[in-house]
Amino acid sequence: MPQPIFSRRVMLLAAGTAIGASAVGWDLFAPDLSATAAGTYLRPCGSVPISSSWQGHKNRNPPSGEPGTDYAVITGTQIQAAANGVIVDRKDSTTTATGRYLALRTDDGNYIRYLHLQSSTVPLGARVTRGQVIAYSGASGFGSETGYGPHVHVSLWIGGTPLQLGFTNSVDFENYVEGGPYQPPPEDPVPLHKSTKYTWNVVIPHNSWMRIPVAPGSIWLAESSAAVKETGDLTIYLSATGVTKGFQVRVLAQSLNSSGAVVSTSAQPVLEIPATSATTAGSATFGEYSLPYFLSGPLRLYAQIRALNAGIKVHQVLVKKNYWQS
């Protein structure tokens, strides 16, 4: 079943600041101003949580410059075309609030933009079919790969381009998807909780990524399968000594095939932990890395650490997470 909006478990990934309209492209076709939405559009990543609705974008102060629907997915998630159509605009840089994006002119005359991409798989001018993978999700924007929390922003205009109708005059994409919009749940389910503490006492290699154990013989933070989905938020707490410059932490997502073999690995945003100011010899630096997530299909998460100066020793790893399975 699709994850509903407005539940705590789906309000995990912040939508970030308002979407800008400073990066605009061009349209290969004149608009059909009599177009109407088909009502059978595909959501970009299937039945995944919504972190910020179209109305939520409108309600911001100031309102979003390009209201749309934010779908909460980890970086590297496949994005499908909502309908048959042609790619009429593509931006491959992380600059401006939009980051990388694709624009699709659907055959029914409407216009859809997918923002904050990690990468695109189709060229400008390509004809695509409904359900075809056209991009991978990211968090790009403001000149960075991590300008936002990971998500896909989808904007829809009926019968024209944003240049003709205005960037703020998008409509609610969820009103035109197959099966209709998500409905709020009757009540918010109580999450499961898991906490692990691991005494590591290992010196971290300088400038080299190293996997972080969470328990003896285990590195996995979260896992899902073809039958079980998992939505949650996890936090990794680290205590280290010998930190004069700092260290970095990141979480990676592995996609598996039906045999359990790794198909792909996508890194989530990197967090840098600086040395504690005014430290004395032997004093500890504490790091905290938080990640909301949604896993569907054979996927699993693990963390890595990289030392920015030699001699850093991590003493303890504490992981806490609240999660729901469906």
Side-chain angles (χ1 to χ4, degrees):
M1 295 292 292
Q3 301 286 346
I5 57 174
F6 303 129
S7 167
R8 283 196 301 273
R9 62 172 165 172
V10 301
M11 300 296 286
L12 294 174
L13 296 179
T17 56
I19 303 300
S22 57
V24 295
W26 51 283
D27 196 336
L28 296 177
F29 299 93
D32 175 2
L33 296 180
S34 64
T36 57
T40 58
Y41 290 159
L42 286 181
R43 292 184 175 94
C45 306
S47 298
V48 302
I50 293 174
S51 56
S52 184
S53 67
W54 176 84
Q55 189 61 52
H57 282 78
K58 300 279 283 187
N59 291 344
R60 293 177 185 174
N61 186 19
S64 171
E66 183 179 326
T69 305
D70 289 344
Y71 295 94
V73 290
I74 58 176
T75 296
T77 301
Q78 292 183 341
I79 297 174
Q80 299 176 330
N84 296 342
V86 175
I87 301 300
V88 294
D89 195 9
R90 170 174 166 159
K91 177 169 172 275
D92 292 319
S93 72
T94 62
T95 59
T96 75
T98 65
R100 298 186 188 89
Y101 70 72
L102 278 182
L104 172 65
R105 166 68 79 182
T106 59
D107 286 350
D108 59 14
N110 300 319
Y111 193 96
I112 299 173
R113 297 219 308 177
Y114 303 85
L115 308 184
H116 314 308
L117 306 178
Q118 180 187 63
S119 62
S120 301
T121 65
V122 289
L124 187 65
R127 168 158 285 280
V128 299
T129 58
R130 182 178 185 271
Q132 178 180 340
V133 175
I134 58 175
Y136 290 92
S137 66
S140 63
F142 302 107
S144 170
E145 296 290 351
T146 57
Y148 301 86
H151 71 286
V152 182
H153 176 108
V154 179
S155 306
L156 169 65
W157 291 266
I158 302 298
T161 73
L163 287 179
Q164 295 163 322
L165 303 177
F167 278 82
T168 60
N169 293 326
S170 63
V171 298
D172 190 347
F173 179 74
E174 273 291 303
N175 286 335
Y176 303 96
V177 297
E178 185 177 47
Y182 291 144
Q183 297 299 318
E187 61 182 39
D188 202 21
V190 177
L192 301 172
H193 177 77
K194 184 176 182 180
S195 179
T196 62
K197 182 185 293 187
Y198 183 67
T199 302
W200 198 9
N201 289 326
V202 168
V203 176
I204 307 303
H206 183 207
N207 280 333
S208 178
W209 288 108
M210 183 177 186
R211 292 185 175 186
I212 300 175
V214 297
S218 175
I219 62 169
W220 307 118
L221 299 167
E223 298 182 73
S224 65
S225 65
V228 178
K229 301 177 183 180
E230 184 168 310
T231 304
D233 57 300
L234 63 88
T235 303
I236 305 169
Y237 302 91
L238 301 166
S239 62
T241 55
V243 183
T244 58
K245 186 175 181 180
F247 58 89
Q248 295 176 323
V249 181
R250 68 180 182 183
V251 168
L252 295 96
Q254 282 188 344
S255 177
L256 314 175
N257 62 20
S258 58
S259 300
V262 177
V263 175
S264 64
T265 301
S266 297
Q268 306 307 298
V270 175
L271 176 68
E272 186 165 317
I273 309 296
T276 303
S277 60
T279 58
T280 58
S283 62
T285 292
F286 298 94
E288 178 179 329
Y289 182 104
S290 296
L291 179 75
Y293 65 91
F294 173 74
L295 304 180
S296 177
L299 288 163
R300 58 192 181 190
L301 301 178
Y302 68 96
Q304 290 182 327
I305 186 171
R306 177 168 64 182
L308 300 180
N309 64 266
I312 294 178
K313 185 176 185 178
V314 176
H315 297 274
Q316 182 174 276
V317 180
L318 176 64
V319 177
K320 295 184 177 182
K321 71 173 186 176
N322 294 315
Y323 63 102
W324 299 262
Q325 291 183 332
S326 59

